[in-house]
Amino acid sequence: MDVSFNEQERMLQERAREFLEREVPLDMVRDMEEDDRGYPVDLWRKLAGLGWLGIAFPNEYGGEGWRFMDLVIVAEEMGRVLAPTPFLATVVLGGLTVLDGGDEEQKQRVLPAIAKGELVMTAAYLEPNRPNIGYGDRELASTAQLRGDSYVLNGEKHFAQYAHVADVILTLARDEASGEAVWLLVDGGSEGIDVTPVSTTGGDHQCHVTFRDTPVPAANRLPGDGWPVLERTLQRAAVATCGFAAGAANKVLEFTVEYARTRVQFGRPIATFQAVRHRCADMAVEVDGARFITYEAAWGLSEGIPSEMEVSVAKAYVSDAVREVMAHGHQVHGAIGFSEEHPMPLYSRRAKMTEAMFGNANLHRERVAERLGL
């Protein structure tokens, strides 16, 4: 295993950091929480122009032909600035799932459009009161019935991020004839779709989607069994989310250390007090651990190595570590760190969001225990 960055990856990290810190001020992040669309279109187009929306797609599908590890590097830098984009929903949940499970026509239709910034996607697989679909839960209430050359889709889906602006909603449903789980590429403008935004702590534009006799061309079904595809999708999404969370924690560490150096109490900087120094040291330990355990899981996925254990270890560790980083950050900042004008609440809310996505720490600890034979 080699998780050290090569020259290309170092350059990617430097360029991504420079670009995102320049283009994504915190005022933009706050504004996008209240914005109807939820992301700046100009920023999305710039990301496409840099090649980052197709970074892990092969060249023949309009991508850069790089590795999943490179995508995680970009996700980490996005996390540092809390970049408000449908990157995870479109590229990871949408594009990489089509790359993994789609046929050639579907790949040629979807992936170049994502890489050019012309297509926003999301994945709808969770259902109300069923948060563990894909993690041992294989019961789908949503149904797809084949009638002639089209499926008729019915059901409800919960927590489909950016579904309100998605051109395509990649939806998992149960084929009524075979009982199999099937993925369907559903046009976001189809009849019978109702999308309702869901208010969340993270302000991350989650949606509830209802399908009522929604027609879907049979050609839009991804071939094969949908469950193995979902399992691989969730692995990639969990690791990308770990990258985003680790990047956010790293940024909090940086501005907390700077605050400790400059905030004076009792005639001296608070960084001279052991309690503050040790909190900052603990933050550094947690951030480094989160980053490198994420790289380990990303490296395994990039190499095509079975990485279920590494993914669950990473998601469990990063969820806990980032929560601790945010708690220490609030303690060091004191009261000012709870004001809405300060970045701490924004980062803390996003950390809570990433902690819950794609399985929380306890769920992944159970998966680790199972793989230990317990």
Side-chain angles (χ1 to χ4, degrees):
M1 179 185 67
D2 182 8
V3 298
S4 59
F5 290 176
N6 57 35
E7 185 63 24
Q8 174 181 280
E9 290 165 340
R10 283 193 294 272
M11 291 177 63
L12 173 64
Q13 183 188 49
E14 291 171 3
R15 188 178 186 190
R17 184 167 302 183
E18 177 186 359
F19 171 82
L20 290 165
E21 290 189 347
R22 181 180 69 248
E23 298 288 337
V24 187
L26 282 180
D27 284 345
M28 173 193 285
V29 179
R30 292 189 178 97
D31 290 344
M32 287 301 110
E33 285 193 329
E34 305 300 327
D35 184 80
D36 289 340
R37 179 174 290 274
Y39 71 97
V41 175
D42 287 346
L43 176 62
W44 188 245
R45 290 171 179 161
K46 289 176 181 178
L47 294 175
L50 290 166
W52 296 344
L53 302 187
I55 193 168
F57 300 165
N59 299 125
E60 59 265 33
Y61 303 121
E64 299 297 308
W66 292 11
R67 304 189 304 161
F68 180 71
M69 180 73 169
D70 301 300
L71 182 150
V72 173
I73 291 171
V74 172
E76 182 181 353
E77 296 307 311
M78 287 184 173
R80 284 177 56 88
V81 298
L82 306 181
T85 73
F87 181 82
L88 176 65
T90 298
V91 178
V92 181
L93 293 177
L96 291 181
T97 302
V98 173
L99 178 63
D100 182 26
D103 61 29
E104 187 63 23
E105 186 277 331
Q106 292 163 349
K107 294 175 187 178
Q108 291 288 356
R109 175 161 38 111
V110 170
L111 301 183
I114 291 176
K116 293 175 184 176
E118 297 172 351
L119 183 70
V120 173
M121 285 187 71
T122 192
Y125 64 95
L126 289 174
E127 297 184 346
N129 303 316
R130 305 192 74 87
N132 294 330
I133 288 178
Y135 293 112
D137 187 346
R138 290 196 169 192
E139 296 294 328
L140 291 169
S142 304
T143 61
Q145 184 179 33
L146 185 61
R147 298 178 186 171
D149 58 358
S150 291
Y151 283 94
V152 176
L153 178 62
N154 283 282
E156 297 180 61
K157 295 295 182 180
H158 211 31
F159 296 119
Q161 192 178 34
Y162 285 99
H164 65 300
V165 293
D167 301 297
V168 174
I169 303 173
L170 183 59
T171 304
L172 189 69
R174 175 172 51 84
D175 187 321
E176 283 199 335
S178 66
E180 294 179 318
V182 295
W183 284 107
L184 299 173
L185 293 163
V186 184
D187 188 322
S190 298
E191 295 179 0
I193 300 179
D194 181 51
V195 179
T196 305
V198 177
S199 178
T200 65
T201 298
D204 53 328
H205 300 285
Q206 301 284 352
C207 299
H208 183 92
V209 184
T210 302
F211 301 101
R212 296 185 180 90
D213 292 332
T214 302
V216 184
N220 283 12
R221 172 186 169 172
L222 273 60
D225 184 1
W227 290 119
V229 175
L230 176 62
E231 290 173 5
R232 294 189 294 270
T233 293
L234 293 178
Q235 288 180 38
R236 292 188 294 266
V239 175
T241 301
C242 285
F244 188 97
N250 197 12
K251 186 66 175 181
V252 170
L253 169 64
E254 291 176 4
F255 66 67
T256 300
V257 168
E258 181 61 25
Y259 178 78
R261 288 172 177 159
T262 56
R263 178 72 168 103
V264 175
Q265 284 277 51
F266 307 109
R268 55 177 175 156
I270 64 173
T272 62
F273 297 106
Q274 186 183 72
V276 174
R277 293 166 62 83
H278 284 193
R279 284 191 185 278
C280 291
D282 285 341
M283 291 171 74
V285 171
E286 299 286 16
V287 167
D288 271 7
R291 294 180 68 209
F292 286 101
I293 205 166
T294 298
Y295 297 160
E296 179 182 6
W299 178 85
L301 293 177
S302 296
E303 296 296 312
I305 299 170
S307 301
E308 293 87 351
M309 179 76 158
E310 289 76 10
V311 170
S312 286
V313 167
K315 189 59 169 68
Y317 182 89
V318 173
S319 295
D320 287 345
V322 173
R323 184 173 64 248
E324 288 298 311
V325 169
M326 300 303 158
H328 287 318
H330 275 293
Q331 288 290 333
V332 172
H333 282 92
I336 194 175
F338 289 93
S339 65
E340 285 302 319
E341 294 77 18
H342 196 275
M344 270 306 315
L346 195 56
Y347 278 85
S348 293
R349 289 192 291 105
R350 293 301 173 89
K352 184 57 65 176
M353 170 195 80
T354 58
E355 182 183 343
M357 293 175 73
F358 311 114
N360 61 22
N362 284 339
L363 183 147
H364 283 282
R365 272 192 279 268
E366 282 295 321
R367 291 171 67 82
V368 171
E370 289 170 4
R371 284 168 174 75
L372 292 173
L374 301 175

